[in-house]
Amino acid sequence: MTELSAVIPCLNEAENAVAIAEAVGAELRAFTEDYEIVFIDNGSTDGTVDIVKGLCAADRRVKLIVNTRNFGQLRSPTHAIYQTSGRAVIGIAADFQDPPALIKEFVLRWRAGAMIVLAVSPSGDMNVFNSIARRIGYGFFARFADYRVIAGATGFGLYDRKVVDTLSRWRDPEPFFRGSLVESGFLIETVEFHRPERARGISKNRFWTLIDFSITGAANSSRRLMRLPMYLSAGLVFMAAITVLAAAYRAVVGYSPWGALSFAFVLGLFAVLFFFLGFLGEQVRLVALGLRETPLVVERERINFGDPE
């Protein structure tokens, strides 16, 4: 088993690939020569694959997985993490907004016993639109998720092999990895940092991407969100009861109660509808939990690995 693994997801990172490989390699060599750097390309069209293939030819510790298409920013990096062999795995972006210098802190904490070390950055480090998206996303996630949310965590950090192996057995079809780390229950240590500007190229984390992350994370983890129609049903039943009491009062004082009773009847119908909608959603969630067999990605090729898994 390799001592340390680093995973670098790529999508049109031709301008950064060589520099990030050199920077990450230098940090890893400060601890061991027994390491691997795993690039996973998610449908690049700018020559990233050819550049990384050159790195692979020069150093067998650099490895490459090439996807058949773009499988999204959740599935592709997670698949690469599961293909590593390191006793500890480090996830880092290719654009230098995840500073390689923090790898030293991650490894030192891991060697001191930490199972998960996550870097967190204030939302103010992002541009105003992405900062708003992150606040909305984390607020939504925190309100409905079944576990606590680590605000400012992007997945940049280190994960012990035991953690990686545990999550790989979950077989989520659309894994929200940073949320799964928390959901696993392993102790998490955090390191705060200020996110630098992107070195080169264009960021893939746009406003709607960040919103999509939060929705996917909540959908993967939240019983409360699926049960929201049931909660609305209970509220409608309460309103219907109040309306019936109001109709009774109107009858006592000599007014017609039929308008209020008709309104209460409509509220009751909606309460039943919302209850069964919530119940159906709960059943769909349970069925989905039992059908997590979809592959995360389809690989076109891999380099410097053993036999394909």
Side-chain angles (χ1 to χ4, degrees), residues 63-264:
K63 304 180 180 182
L64 172 64
I65 298 171
V66 183
N67 296 340
T68 56
R69 64 172 177 83
N70 187 330
F71 284 89
Q73 294 189 56
L74 295 177
R75 295 165 66 176
S76 184
T78 304
H79 175 74
I81 288 169
Y82 294 160
Q83 306 310 306
T84 60
S85 61
R87 294 178 55 238
V89 183
I90 298 161
I92 184 170
D95 58 8
F96 285 93
Q97 288 192 295
D98 295 342
L102 280 182
I103 290 176
K104 178 180 180 180
E105 180 69 15
F106 297 160
V107 176
L108 289 175
R109 293 202 185 196
W110 171 64
R111 288 186 171 178
M115 298 293 287
I116 304 171
V117 185
L118 290 181
V120 297
S121 66
S123 59
D125 288 350
M126 310 177 73
N127 67 55
V128 63
F129 294 107
N130 284 356
S131 179
I132 292 172
R134 176 174 285 190
R135 290 179 184 275
I136 293 173
Y138 278 119
F140 179 79
F141 197 9
R143 177 66 183 85
F144 292 107
D146 296 333
Y147 45 80
R148 69 185 181 90
V149 177
I150 300 180
T154 64
F156 174 39
L158 178 148
Y159 337 113
D160 185 84
R161 170 53 51 185
K162 183 176 181 180
V163 176
V164 173
D165 288 345
T166 297
L167 298 188
S168 69
R169 290 191 292 269
W170 290 8
R171 302 186 65 82
D172 287 327
E174 195 75 19
F176 188 64
F177 191 78
R178 74 192 76 162
S180 298
L181 291 171
V182 181
E183 190 177 9
S184 70
F186 288 105
L187 182 64
I188 297 176
E189 295 187 11
T190 59
V191 177
E192 186 168 323
F193 78 106
H194 289 280
R195 183 176 296 276
E197 292 294 326
R198 180 180 172 89
R200 306 173 187 86
I202 301 173
S203 174
K204 313 306 184 297
N205 286 323
R206 308 297 181 85
F207 181 90
W208 291 112
T209 302
L210 295 170
I211 295 295
D212 181 66
F213 282 170
S214 68
I215 294 174
T216 300
N220 273 347
S221 68
S222 180
R223 286 188 296 268
R224 280 182 287 179
L225 184 60
M226 297 297 289
R227 293 173 180 172
L228 182 59
M230 290 186 175
Y231 303 150
L232 292 175
S233 174
L236 290 172
V237 168
F238 177 76
M239 292 175 60
I242 296 297
T243 305
V244 169
L245 291 176
Y249 174 77
R250 288 177 61 86
V252 169
V253 298
Y255 292 98
S256 172
W258 298 113
L261 287 175
S262 297
F263 184 60

Side-chain angles (χ1 to χ4, degrees), residues 32-50:
T32 180
E33 291 294 325
D34 184 21
Y35 69 85
E36 63 180 0
I37 299 175
V38 179
F39 285 88
I40 183 164
D41 185 83
N42 205 21
S44 293
T45 58
D46 68 343
T48 298
V49 171
D50 290 334

Side-chain angles (χ1 to χ4, degrees), residues 236-237 240 243 259-274:
L236 290 172
V237 168
T243 305
L261 287 175
S262 297
F263 184 60
F265 178 74
V266 171
L267 288 175
L269 287 179
F270 274 101
V272 172
L273 175 64
F274 276 116

